[in-house]
């Protein structure tokens, strides 16, 4: 039996799938200390792979799986992604060792990389061109909701067991799977003829994995072994870049990064994401391991920062009508760094959330709202319509790579302290590094600003659609912002 769905129903179903995947970032961060206690003897470098493994695979497969779905059918890609993410979540909850958990997290990431682009690609064809931008804003606002709900939900669930952090995905996933199968019409893009470069995606995955491994083991492995691993990572990145220049459908189009605005935007996104990921985990570890907060209290403490992001993303969109976007993004980066500095100067051995952590955390959240949506909008504003999805996918990949580097840098900075003095010194060192990355990101953001022309004016409406700080990924129609179809898409 076939169902004819209203566009709003399709939007609701696809947004539910995206909510499940978006929730994962914040909810697992809050659960990380509890996971470490469950698998006794797991040092932070090993524990970091619960986060880094997911981010690496997601970054490498987001664009290729989106393009596969564009070619063979987006609905099939969405159903496979939801099913895989849901089953992998159940397997994560049943894991009996840390490395078993990490392995199933990789499968989760494959599912997320499949469902994220296809969910948006299925929404666009069912809306009239003039309503597509509004639909995208709603789809992306769900990410902001997940960011705000995630820390609190994670805290509540961890109170019972960290395994509930993954089990909560089961009812959401089953509902989304059944609803998508019955209510979402399929679509594809016959213009996508070439197979994506899955080999290149594999090389990128391995290279990022080696890079993270070399960084997190910097203080524990012999210098020669670390040097060899990092050298292999650099060589892998070089091989990936060389391969991309020869492929018809590469993971990253080198020609796009030759455009000044796009190159600087991606660099700013990567650098800022290093600071963001490290700062999020540092705050969680400080509250739970130094102040001995419960997971729920930690989640409630984290939530005010994400709540600032959608609000000030809208502010940044309004400012972009009058202020060069590079300055808006740079101001956001510097505010984020200022918030980090306030936290590092305020915290002490006695818990003092309202006086020592909250002010800096709110300032940092305002900085994220100004910086990240602006940076990601700038990365695509100068592109022609037929390259918008690809450019958005590349900047989203840069963000995920930044997350991997941020977690790795934090692990190195913290070390393995056994006293409060050592722990405080490690966290202060980490917050200092986070601030440095934020300042460098600000410099890159200033350089990314397009010259004062029509491209600048386009940024204001585009930033309204990235209020969650998540750019639309590759593998979807190039109509997310402009509402203008690329043409040739089969809307079955």
């Amino acid at each position: 039996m076939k169902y004819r769905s209203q566009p709003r129903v399709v939007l609701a179903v696809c947004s539910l799938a995206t909510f499940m995947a978006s929730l994962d970032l914040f909810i697992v961060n809050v659960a990380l200390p509890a996971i470490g206690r469950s698998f006794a003897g797991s040092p932070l470098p090993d524990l970091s792979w619960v986060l880094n493994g997911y981010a690496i695979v997601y970054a490498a497969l987001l664009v290729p799986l989106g393009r596969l779905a564009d070619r063979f059918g987006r609905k099939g890609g969405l159903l496979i992604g939801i099913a895989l993410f849901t089953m992998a979540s159940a397997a994560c909850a049943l894991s009996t060792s840390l490395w078993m958990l990490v392995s199933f997290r990789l499968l989760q990431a494959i599912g997320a990389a499949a469902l994220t682009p296809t969910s948006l690609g299925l929404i666009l064809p069912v809306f009239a061109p003039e309503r597509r931008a509004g639909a995208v804003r709603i789809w992306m606002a769900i990410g902001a909701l997940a960011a705000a709900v995630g820390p609190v939900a994670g805290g509540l669930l961890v109170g019972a067991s960290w395994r509930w952090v993954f089990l909560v995905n089961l009812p959401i996933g089953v509902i989304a799977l059944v609803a998508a199968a019955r209510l979402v019409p399929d679509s594809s893009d016959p213009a996508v003829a070439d197979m994506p470069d899955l080999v290149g995606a594999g090389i990128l995955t391995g290279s990022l994995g080696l890079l993270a491994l070399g960084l997190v083991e910097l203080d524990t492995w012999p210098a020669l072994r670390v040097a060899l691993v990092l050298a292999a990572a650099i060589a892998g990145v070089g091989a990936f870049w060389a391969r991309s220049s020869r492929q018809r459908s590469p993971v990253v189009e080198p020609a796009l990064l030759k455009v000044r605005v796009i190159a600087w935007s991606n660099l700013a996104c990567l650098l800022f994401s290093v600071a963001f990921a490290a700062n999020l985990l540092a705050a969680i570890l400080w509250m739970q391991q130094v102040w001995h907060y419960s997971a729920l209290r930690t989640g409630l403490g984290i939530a005010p920062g994400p709540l600032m992001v959608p609000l000030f993303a809208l502010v940044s969109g309004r400012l972009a009508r009058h202020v060069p976007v590079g300055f808006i993004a740079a101001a956001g980066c510097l505010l984020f760094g200022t918030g980090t500095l306030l936290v590092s100067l305020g915290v002490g051995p006695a818990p003092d959330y309202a006086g020592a952590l909250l002010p800096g955390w709110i300032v940092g959240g305002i900085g994220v709202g100004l910086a990240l949506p602006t940076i990601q909008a700038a990365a695509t504003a100068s592109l022609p319509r037929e390259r918008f999805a690809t450019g958005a996918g590349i900047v989203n990949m840069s963000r995920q790579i930044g997350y991997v580097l941020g977690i790795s840098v934090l692990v190195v900075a913290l070390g393995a302290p056994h006293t409060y003095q050592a722990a405080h010194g490690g966290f202060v060192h980490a917050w200092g590094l986070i601030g440095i990355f934020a300042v460098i990101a600000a410099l890159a953001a200033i350089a990314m600003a397009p010259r004062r022309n029509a491209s600048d004016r386009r940024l204001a409406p585009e930033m309204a659609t990235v209020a969650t700080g998540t750019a639309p990924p590759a593998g979807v129609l190039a109509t997310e912002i402009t509402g203008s179809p690329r043409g040739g898409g089969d809307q079955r």
Side-chain angles (χ1 to χ4, degrees), residues 32-168:
L32 198 64
I35 294 172
R37 291 191 295 271
S38 179
F39 300 123
S42 299
L44 186 57
D46 290 351
L47 199 60
S48 68
W49 287 102
V50 175
L51 302 176
N52 273 350
Y54 183 96
I56 289 168
V57 172
Y58 183 84
L61 294 183
L62 178 68
V63 176
L65 293 185
R67 287 178 178 164
L68 277 176
D70 276 350
R71 180 178 180 184
F72 294 108
R74 300 185 183 106
K75 182 173 180 176
L78 177 67
L79 295 177
I80 292 171
I82 295 173
L84 182 57
F85 189 93
T86 304
M87 291 187 293
S89 296
C92 286
L94 299 174
S95 298
T96 56
S97 71
L98 176 63
W99 296 112
M100 183 183 296
L101 173 60
V102 170
S103 298
F104 289 128
R105 284 282 286 165
L106 303 185
L107 293 178
Q108 259 195 321
I110 296 173
L115 73 87
T116 303
T118 52
S119 64
L120 183 56
L122 287 163
I123 289 170
L124 296 171
V126 301
F127 281 89
E130 66 274 9
R131 297 183 60 199
R132 286 173 182 161
V136 175
R137 282 194 289 272
I138 295 173
W139 180 84
M140 304 194 80
I142 297 300
L145 178 63
V149 170
V152 180
L156 285 169
L157 294 168
V158 172
S161 169
W162 65 263
R163 299 179 189 276
W164 281 101
V165 166
F166 299 104
L167 289 174
V168 72

Side-chain angles (χ1 to χ4, degrees), residues 168-192:
V168 72
N169 292 327
L170 271 62
I172 301 175
V174 170
I175 293 171
L177 188 65
V178 173
R182 300 182 65 180
L183 302 175
V184 177
D186 198 5
S187 68
S188 62
D189 188 354
V192 179

